[in-house]
Amino acid sequence: MLLLFLLGALVPVAAGQNTTVSYDYSEQPPTVDELMQWHEVFTYKVRYSFFKLGEVKVEVVSDTLYNGKKSWHLKSIITSNSGIPFVGREENHYNSIFAIVGNMIRVQEYWTDNVDEEEYRDSEYIFDRKVQKVYAYEKDQPRDTLALEEPASSGHSVFYRSRLTAGTDSVVKVPIYLNHEKKYMTLANTTETDMREYDAFPKEVKTYFTKGDTNIKGPFGFSGEFEAWYLADDLRVPVEARVKVWLGNVKIKLIDYKKERRND
């Protein structure tokens, strides 16, 4: 989700069709328009100690129309390792429809699908900026209406929003709407760099570090302080996060990254 969900010269990395592309090191983070020029697919491995808990796949799957305006569909798929005792096979989808206004990501709708239990749109949040309200729907619960505070999110879109400030000395506070509540996620970005290794890249890459904190109750008990690293390139590719869940501290690392320039 960063879940979270996040080079001296040129850094070669794996891309689509088993080709190789290069990224320029950049001190400036990207704009939203620059991010949306690329169709990116991220795959992360989630580990607790020596155990693989599952995988996370993140992708802006397509552009779309929402209330007659061009928008984008961001989708994350979390699958658990079926060999984990007392957990078994779990598959959950997280979806956001967002529009771009200036250099801001404005979430318009968010919903979840519990695929393994065949429960679709088991939660849904509608962001109505005409009346500055958020309408919250959860399975077997009455609808709630909450006051909208910008930059409003349901957590999922932070994966893209955080890239806009990674690698800068800045603190960003994002209102998060989940579980019929408004909570907050704080991202303390830094210009601190580190060389790190990931399966997605053939050699060490230079990264920027971000420290975060949140009081939301996210997927698998995610809450509290967390750490994140972003590739120090012109797109600020999210490469790693360390978060607290119900099992304890887990590591989320990028194992595959593909990108192709969009035609639209």
Side-chain angles (χ1 to χ4, degrees):
M1 166 62 192
L2 297 223
L3 145 332
L4 125 357
F5 206 114
L6 292 272
L7 311 150
L10 299 177
V11 181
V13 301
Q17 287 78 49
N18 296 318
T19 60
T20 299
V21 297
S22 295
Y23 290 109
D24 290 323
Y25 166 74
S26 175
E27 293 183 356
Q28 296 298 320
T31 65
V32 181
D33 287 336
E34 288 169 341
L35 288 179
M36 302 318 299
Q37 291 176 14
W38 297 95
H39 176 204
E40 301 172 288
V41 183
F42 310 81
T43 305
Y44 298 87
K45 179 168 59 178
V46 184
R47 297 189 69 89
Y48 169 70
S49 185
F50 298 105
F51 301 99
K52 178 182 176 180
L53 300 181
E55 290 189 354
V56 180
K57 181 179 178 180
V58 183
E59 176 183 11
V60 171
V61 293
S62 66
D63 59 347
T64 185
L65 286 178
Y66 189 89
N67 291 334
K69 296 183 179 180
K70 183 176 180 178
S71 303
W72 300 90
H73 179 192
L74 172 63
K75 186 173 188 175
S76 296
I77 299 175
I78 299 180
T79 54
S80 69
N81 179 355
S82 60
I84 301 175
F86 310 112
V87 175
R89 173 72 178 183
E90 295 278 347
E91 181 175 338
N92 295 282
H93 294 191
Y94 303 85
N95 301 272
S96 289
I97 303 294
F98 66 87
I100 298 173
V101 180
N103 196 39
M104 293 184 60
I105 291 175
R106 285 199 166 181
V107 179
Q108 299 160 303
E109 183 176 357
Y110 166 84
W111 74 94
T112 61
D113 298 318
N114 190 337
V115 175
D116 57 285
E117 295 186 11
E118 298 184 350
E119 295 178 350
Y120 299 94
R121 289 190 177 263
D122 55 342
S123 69
E124 185 175 7
Y125 289 74
I126 307 295
F127 296 79
D128 189 338
R129 288 177 172 80
K130 290 183 178 179
V131 295
Q132 292 295 295
K133 300 292 184 183
V134 178
Y135 303 111
Y137 305 83
E138 298 276 355
K139 179 185 174 183
D140 300 328
Q141 295 187 40
R143 187 185 83 171
D144 271 345
T145 301
L146 306 169
L148 189 151
E149 178 183 348
E150 297 288 11
S153 173
S154 280
H156 177 62
S157 65
V158 173
F159 180 86
Y160 265 75
R161 181 178 281 129
S162 65
R163 300 167 70 181
L164 306 178
T165 53
T168 65
D169 285 318
S170 61
V171 177
V172 179
K173 189 174 183 180
V174 182
I176 305 292
Y177 293 83
L178 278 177
N179 305 317
H180 289 241
E181 295 180 304
K182 179 179 70 175
K183 298 289 188 177
Y184 292 93
M185 178 179 291
T186 301
L187 300 169
N189 303 294
T190 73
T191 55
E192 176 185 334
T193 61
D194 190 17
M195 299 299 294
R196 304 177 74 82
E197 292 184 351
Y198 300 99
D199 291 346
F201 310 134
K203 64 178 184 180
E204 282 189 331
V205 293
K206 189 175 183 179
T207 63
Y208 283 117
F209 174 70
T210 292
K211 190 174 182 63
D213 192 18
T214 182
N215 58 358
I216 68 172
K217 296 179 182 178
F220 306 103
F222 164 56
S223 189
E225 295 182 350
F226 60 92
E227 298 176 322
W229 287 262
Y230 300 82
L231 194 66
D233 72 330
D234 53 345
L235 294 181
R236 296 295 194 267
V237 174
V239 290
E240 182 179 353
R242 298 184 180 183
V243 305
K244 296 177 182 178
V245 297
W246 66 273
L247 278 175
N249 296 319
V250 301
K251 297 180 180 180
I252 305 169
K253 290 189 174 184
L254 187 67
I255 60 173
D256 188 63
Y257 174 63
K258 297 180 175 64
K259 77 168 189 176
E260 295 178 328
R261 189 174 290 276
R262 295 184 186 273
N263 295 323
D264 49 357

mmCIF file of all heavy atoms in Angstrom, residues 143-166:
data_model
loop_
_atom_site.group_PDB
_atom_site.id
_atom_site.type_symbol
_atom_site.label_atom_id
_atom_site.label_comp_id
_atom_site.label_asym_id
_atom_site.label_seq_id
_atom_site.Cartn_x
_atom_site.Cartn_y
_atom_site.Cartn_z
ATOM 1 N N ARG A 143 -24.877 3.936 6.538
ATOM 2 C CA ARG A 143 -24.020 4.921 5.886
ATOM 3 C C ARG A 143 -23.668 6.030 6.866
ATOM 4 O O ARG A 143 -24.502 6.466 7.655
ATOM 5 C CB ARG A 143 -24.725 5.510 4.668
ATOM 6 C CG ARG A 143 -23.826 6.423 3.839
ATOM 7 C CD ARG A 143 -24.580 7.077 2.709
ATOM 8 N NE ARG A 143 -25.287 8.271 3.170
ATOM 9 C CZ ARG A 143 -25.885 9.133 2.362
ATOM 10 N NH1 ARG A 143 -25.894 8.919 1.058
ATOM 11 N NH2 ARG A 143 -26.500 10.196 2.854
ATOM 12 N N ASP A 144 -22.424 6.496 6.784
ATOM 13 C CA ASP A 144 -21.973 7.643 7.566
ATOM 14 C C ASP A 144 -21.644 8.793 6.627
ATOM 15 O O ASP A 144 -21.236 8.573 5.473
ATOM 16 C CB ASP A 144 -20.711 7.297 8.370
ATOM 17 C CG ASP A 144 -21.042 6.717 9.732
ATOM 18 O OD1 ASP A 144 -22.199 6.850 10.161
ATOM 19 O OD2 ASP A 144 -20.150 6.129 10.369
ATOM 20 N N THR A 145 -21.804 10.008 7.114
ATOM 21 C CA THR A 145 -21.419 11.200 6.371
ATOM 22 C C THR A 145 -20.395 11.963 7.191
ATOM 23 O O THR A 145 -20.647 12.308 8.347
ATOM 24 C CB THR A 145 -22.639 12.087 6.087
ATOM 25 O OG1 THR A 145 -23.606 11.341 5.341
ATOM 26 C CG2 THR A 145 -22.225 13.315 5.288
ATOM 27 N N LEU A 146 -19.235 12.204 6.595
ATOM 28 C CA LEU A 146 -18.134 12.855 7.291
ATOM 29 C C LEU A 146 -17.752 14.134 6.566
ATOM 30 O O LEU A 146 -17.922 14.259 5.352
ATOM 31 C CB LEU A 146 -16.917 11.922 7.355
ATOM 32 C CG LEU A 146 -17.159 10.526 7.956
ATOM 33 C CD1 LEU A 146 -15.956 9.629 7.714
ATOM 34 C CD2 LEU A 146 -17.456 10.630 9.440
ATOM 35 N N ALA A 147 -17.219 15.096 7.303
ATOM 36 C CA ALA A 147 -16.753 16.342 6.694
ATOM 37 C C ALA A 147 -15.481 16.066 5.902
ATOM 38 O O ALA A 147 -14.579 15.365 6.362
ATOM 39 C CB ALA A 147 -16.484 17.384 7.778
ATOM 40 N N LEU A 148 -15.413 16.616 4.688
ATOM 41 C CA LEU A 148 -14.265 16.391 3.812
ATOM 42 C C LEU A 148 -13.159 17.386 4.123
ATOM 43 O O LEU A 148 -13.396 18.598 4.214
ATOM 44 C CB LEU A 148 -14.695 16.506 2.350
ATOM 45 C CG LEU A 148 -13.674 16.099 1.285
ATOM 46 C CD1 LEU A 148 -14.393 15.588 0.038
ATOM 47 C CD2 LEU A 148 -12.758 17.261 0.912
ATOM 48 N N GLU A 149 -11.953 16.883 4.309
ATOM 49 C CA GLU A 149 -10.776 17.716 4.524
ATOM 50 C C GLU A 149 -9.726 17.342 3.485
ATOM 51 O O GLU A 149 -9.389 16.172 3.325
ATOM 52 C CB GLU A 149 -10.211 17.511 5.936
ATOM 53 C CG GLU A 149 -8.947 18.306 6.213
ATOM 54 C CD GLU A 149 -8.352 18.027 7.588
ATOM 55 O OE1 GLU A 149 -9.021 17.389 8.413
ATOM 56 O OE2 GLU A 149 -7.207 18.454 7.832
ATOM 57 N N GLU A 150 -9.221 18.321 2.761
ATOM 58 C CA GLU A 150 -8.204 18.063 1.741
ATOM 59 C C GLU A 150 -6.812 17.958 2.362
ATOM 60 O O GLU A 150 -6.551 18.583 3.396
ATOM 61 C CB GLU A 150 -8.215 19.175 0.682
ATOM 62 C CG GLU A 150 -9.504 19.289 -0.097
ATOM 63 C CD GLU A 150 -9.721 18.153 -1.104
ATOM 64 O OE1 GLU A 150 -8.974 17.151 -1.065
ATOM 65 O OE2 GLU A 150 -10.656 18.280 -1.899
ATOM 66 N N PRO A 151 -5.905 17.166 1.745
ATOM 67 C CA PRO A 151 -6.102 16.333 0.569
ATOM 68 C C PRO A 151 -6.694 14.973 0.953
ATOM 69 O O PRO A 151 -5.964 14.062 1.377
ATOM 70 C CB PRO A 151 -4.692 16.173 0.004
ATOM 71 C CG PRO A 151 -3.801 16.247 1.221
ATOM 72 C CD PRO A 151 -4.486 17.180 2.180
ATOM 73 N N ALA A 152 -7.999 14.854 0.844
ATOM 74 C CA ALA A 152 -8.723 13.682 1.329
ATOM 75 C C ALA A 152 -8.307 12.415 0.591
ATOM 76 O O ALA A 152 -8.100 12.421 -0.616
ATOM 77 C CB ALA A 152 -10.230 13.904 1.168
ATOM 78 N N SER A 153 -8.226 11.302 1.332
ATOM 79 C CA SER A 153 -7.829 10.025 0.760
ATOM 80 C C SER A 153 -8.423 8.904 1.596
ATOM 81 O O SER A 153 -8.914 9.136 2.699
ATOM 82 C CB SER A 153 -6.303 9.903 0.733
ATOM 83 O OG SER A 153 -5.898 8.614 0.325
ATOM 84 N N SER A 154 -8.377 7.700 1.055
ATOM 85 C CA SER A 154 -8.673 6.517 1.858
ATOM 86 C C SER A 154 -7.420 5.668 2.049
ATOM 87 O O SER A 154 -7.483 4.457 2.245
ATOM 88 C CB SER A 154 -9.792 5.686 1.217
ATOM 89 O OG SER A 154 -11.050 6.245 1.506
ATOM 90 N N GLY A 155 -6.266 6.318 1.957
ATOM 91 C CA GLY A 155 -5.009 5.637 2.222
ATOM 92 C C GLY A 155 -4.351 5.070 0.988
ATOM 93 O O GLY A 155 -3.134 5.172 0.807
ATOM 94 N N HIS A 156 -5.152 4.492 0.137
ATOM 95 C CA HIS A 156 -4.654 3.795 -1.044
ATOM 96 C C HIS A 156 -3.882 4.721 -1.981
ATOM 97 O O HIS A 156 -2.813 4.363 -2.498
ATOM 98 C CB HIS A 156 -5.881 3.182 -1.733
ATOM 99 C CG HIS A 156 -5.631 2.482 -3.003
ATOM 100 N ND1 HIS A 156 -4.832 1.372 -3.108
ATOM 101 C CD2 HIS A 156 -6.103 2.722 -4.247
ATOM 102 C CE1 HIS A 156 -4.827 0.947 -4.352
ATOM 103 N NE2 HIS A 156 -5.588 1.761 -5.069
ATOM 104 N N SER A 157 -4.369 5.929 -2.207
ATOM 105 C CA SER A 157 -3.740 6.843 -3.165
ATOM 106 C C SER A 157 -2.447 7.454 -2.639
ATOM 107 O O SER A 157 -1.713 8.096 -3.396
ATOM 108 C CB SER A 157 -4.708 7.960 -3.554
ATOM 109 O OG SER A 157 -5.005 8.773 -2.437
ATOM 110 N N VAL A 158 -2.150 7.264 -1.343
ATOM 111 C CA VAL A 158 -0.907 7.793 -0.789
ATOM 112 C C VAL A 158 0.296 7.187 -1.504
ATOM 113 O O VAL A 158 1.367 7.790 -1.574
ATOM 114 C CB VAL A 158 -0.840 7.532 0.731
ATOM 115 C CG1 VAL A 158 0.515 7.914 1.309
ATOM 116 C CG2 VAL A 158 -1.928 8.325 1.437
ATOM 117 N N PHE A 159 0.116 6.001 -2.072
ATOM 118 C CA PHE A 159 1.195 5.354 -2.834
ATOM 119 C C PHE A 159 1.706 6.290 -3.923
ATOM 120 O O PHE A 159 2.909 6.381 -4.165
ATOM 121 C CB PHE A 159 0.677 4.056 -3.456
ATOM 122 C CG PHE A 159 1.718 3.314 -4.256
ATOM 123 C CD1 PHE A 159 2.580 2.428 -3.636
ATOM 124 C CD2 PHE A 159 1.840 3.509 -5.629
ATOM 125 C CE1 PHE A 159 3.543 1.755 -4.367
ATOM 126 C CE2 PHE A 159 2.802 2.836 -6.369
ATOM 127 C CZ PHE A 159 3.649 1.951 -5.731
ATOM 128 N N TYR A 160 0.797 6.993 -4.603
ATOM 129 C CA TYR A 160 1.215 7.944 -5.637
ATOM 130 C C TYR A 160 1.505 9.319 -5.056
ATOM 131 O O TYR A 160 2.476 9.976 -5.423
ATOM 132 C CB TYR A 160 0.142 8.042 -6.734
ATOM 133 C CG TYR A 160 0.439 7.115 -7.890
ATOM 134 C CD1 TYR A 160 0.222 5.748 -7.779
ATOM 135 C CD2 TYR A 160 0.968 7.587 -9.082
ATOM 136 C CE1 TYR A 160 0.502 4.893 -8.815
ATOM 137 C CE2 TYR A 160 1.261 6.740 -10.131
ATOM 138 C CZ TYR A 160 1.023 5.385 -10.007
ATOM 139 O OH TYR A 160 1.318 4.532 -11.036
ATOM 140 N N ARG A 161 0.668 9.779 -4.142
ATOM 141 C CA ARG A 161 0.829 11.124 -3.598
ATOM 142 C C ARG A 161 2.175 11.290 -2.896
ATOM 143 O O ARG A 161 2.802 12.355 -2.975
ATOM 144 C CB ARG A 161 -0.323 11.425 -2.632
ATOM 145 C CG ARG A 161 -0.260 12.819 -2.016
ATOM 146 C CD ARG A 161 -1.454 13.074 -1.115
ATOM 147 N NE ARG A 161 -2.635 13.412 -1.888
ATOM 148 C CZ ARG A 161 -3.817 12.816 -1.751
ATOM 149 N NH1 ARG A 161 -3.956 11.827 -0.894
ATOM 150 N NH2 ARG A 161 -4.853 13.192 -2.474
ATOM 151 N N SER A 162 2.644 10.265 -2.198
ATOM 152 C CA SER A 162 3.896 10.383 -1.451
ATOM 153 C C SER A 162 5.094 10.595 -2.365
ATOM 154 O O SER A 162 6.109 11.163 -1.942
ATOM 155 C CB SER A 162 4.110 9.130 -0.597
ATOM 156 O OG SER A 162 4.284 7.978 -1.426
ATOM 157 N N ARG A 163 4.992 10.169 -3.612
ATOM 158 C CA ARG A 163 6.108 10.305 -4.542
ATOM 159 C C ARG A 163 6.351 11.757 -4.937
ATOM 160 O O ARG A 163 7.436 12.107 -5.411
ATOM 161 C CB ARG A 163 5.841 9.450 -5.786
ATOM 162 C CG ARG A 163 5.681 7.978 -5.451
ATOM 163 C CD ARG A 163 5.117 7.171 -6.607
ATOM 164 N NE ARG A 163 6.062 7.041 -7.703
ATOM 165 C CZ ARG A 163 5.782 6.393 -8.835
ATOM 166 N NH1 ARG A 163 4.579 5.856 -9.012
ATOM 167 N NH2 ARG A 163 6.691 6.298 -9.791
ATOM 168 N N LEU A 164 5.350 12.612 -4.753
ATOM 169 C CA LEU A 164 5.452 14.008 -5.158
ATOM 170 C C LEU A 164 6.357 14.820 -4.240
ATOM 171 O O LEU A 164 6.791 15.918 -4.609
ATOM 172 C CB LEU A 164 4.056 14.650 -5.195
ATOM 173 C CG LEU A 164 3.003 13.942 -6.048
ATOM 174 C CD1 LEU A 164 1.674 14.662 -5.944
ATOM 175 C CD2 LEU A 164 3.456 13.824 -7.494
ATOM 176 N N THR A 165 6.641 14.298 -3.043
ATOM 177 C CA THR A 165 7.463 15.032 -2.076
ATOM 178 C C THR A 165 8.652 14.216 -1.572
ATOM 179 O O THR A 165 9.455 14.731 -0.792
ATOM 180 C CB THR A 165 6.617 15.468 -0.864
ATOM 181 O OG1 THR A 165 5.945 14.323 -0.311
ATOM 182 C CG2 THR A 165 5.579 16.504 -1.278
ATOM 183 N N ALA A 166 8.766 12.954 -1.992
ATOM 184 C CA ALA A 166 9.891 12.124 -1.548
ATOM 185 C C ALA A 166 11.209 12.751 -1.994
ATOM 186 O O ALA A 166 11.333 13.276 -3.094
ATOM 187 C CB ALA A 166 9.760 10.710 -2.118
#
